[in-house]
Amino acid sequence: MNDQKVAIVTGGARGIGRAIAVELAGAGYYIILNYKSNDQAAEETLEMIRKAGSDGEKARFDVSDATAAEACLQDILSRFKNIEILVNNAGITADGLFIMMPDEDWNRVIDTTLKGFYNVTKPVLKKMLRNKRGSVVSISSVAGLVANRGQANYSAAKAGLIAASRSIAAEVARIGVRMNVVAPGLIETEMIKDAPIDRIKDVIPMARIGKPEEVAKVVRFLCSDDASYITGQVISVNGGMF
Ligand code: NDP
């Protein structure tokens, strides 16, 4: 079995996930790069991972699909011994006022974030517990912490991620596995391409949106031994929004 240090990043082909994958590659991790469908973006990210001095492989599956996730993860878990890091980053939005929200939009946002978290974290955590070592970081959002009109589905999913992470952190802390959450504010990716940036900037004390790399560096810190006494926490990366 391969004994390289491995980091799994869900939704790692673009945006914040890509920055996290490249940052962790720079820290010497072999990257398992999960994404849903954009093969070209995944190839570009793999190229960036190699430029950062490491290597990795694609793991294409929909995190909300339990069968697909299990098939891919069992293969990875059987090949790699030291899965040290899992970053649950895959997420989507489907905004709209709650009263008008189609069932489909409620379900797919909750499923991607929470079923995705469950489907991926459970098998990987079992391996980490056997190794008595590991760090899981999940990417929530400012919307999981404060009210955000038009994002009831997204807020519920992101708050659920925080609550689940805190409880699991308490369950596994004594065995050497840490579990934390990063809650970004507005970050420059395709996800916010339709957001009214100028209006939102007014409520950000730093008066600018963040860069994916500014989230990735916090994730790298939380995954490192420098954060060895930090678990069950939520770290905001939001330009001082609250
Ligand atoms: P992007 O839309 O830029 O990228 C999303 C990534 O997630 C893509 O690689 C996409 O795959 C993947 N993905 C989406 N759905 C699935 C799925 N079902 N299974 C596997 N992979 C999936 O998003 P961001 O980089 O902006 O966001 C990353 C995370 O950060 C999300 O959880 C988001 O909620 C959170 N966040 C973002 C903020 C922002 O302002 N951008 C603010 C706060 C939180 P593919 O490339 O194949 O489409």
Side-chain angles (χ1 to χ4, degrees), residues 13-236:
R14 295 187 283 118
I16 294 171
R18 168 183 279 179
I20 292 169
V22 172
E23 187 73 28
L24 293 175
Y29 288 89
Y30 181 89
I31 307 296
I32 304 292
L33 193 73
N34 162 259
Y35 60 103
K36 188 175 174 188
S37 58
N38 192 332
D39 290 314
Q40 194 192 330
E43 283 298 338
E44 287 166 13
T45 306
L46 272 183
E47 201 48 47
M48 294 166 80
I49 285 168
R50 289 179 191 125
K51 281 202 180 116
S54 188
D55 204 352
E57 64 186 57
K58 295 185 288 181
R60 177 177 164 164
F61 63 88
D62 179 343
V63 291
S64 68
D65 179 340
T67 310
E70 190 187 356
C72 189
L73 288 168
Q74 285 317 324
D75 169 56
I76 289 159
L77 295 171
S78 70
R79 286 190 289 120
F80 294 97
K81 181 166 174 270
N82 298 319
I83 313 272
E84 295 200 354
I85 294 173
L86 166 62
V87 183
N88 287 304
N89 166 79
I92 57 165
T93 51
D95 295 352
L97 292 176
F98 179 68
I99 206 75
M100 318 277 282
M101 188 175 284
D103 296 352
E104 149 77 7
D105 285 358
W106 176 267
N107 290 334
R108 68 194 171 101
V109 169
I110 300 282
D111 286 357
T112 302
T113 296
L114 290 181
K115 268 196 192 158
F117 172 89
Y118 178 86
N119 291 337
V120 177
T121 304
K122 203 171 179 185
V124 174
L125 193 61
K126 280 184 186 161
K127 179 92 165 185
M128 289 177 170
L129 292 173
R130 271 198 299 275
N131 291 343
K132 297 190 169 44
R133 180 175 170 82
S135 175
V136 180
V137 173
S138 298
I139 308 300
S140 177
S141 166
V142 64
L145 294 165
V146 298
N148 212 9
R149 273 178 299 170
Q151 289 201 312
N153 50 358
Y154 187 69
S155 301
K158 293 302 193 182
L161 211 50
I162 291 171
S165 298
R166 282 189 176 135
S167 292
I168 301 166
E171 292 175 11
V172 301
R174 287 174 195 213
I175 311 171
V177 178
R178 295 181 298 104
M179 189 125 183
N180 290 291
V181 176
V182 170
L186 209 66
I187 306 296
E188 195 175 350
T189 71
E190 274 175 49
M191 183 177 271
I192 61 152
K193 65 180 188 316
D194 298 325
I197 305 285
D198 286 334
R199 191 163 53 76
I200 297 170
K201 269 188 198 164
D202 288 345
V203 300
I204 305 173
M206 284 190 182
R208 67 171 178 86
I209 59 175
K211 299 187 183 76
E213 293 73 20
E214 292 177 304
V215 179
K217 286 182 193 305
V218 177
V219 173
R220 163 147 86 157
F221 164 69
L222 284 173
C223 292
S224 75
D225 288 341
D226 289 343
S228 54
Y229 201 47
I230 301 178
T231 196
Q233 303 304 305
V234 183
I235 311 288
S236 289

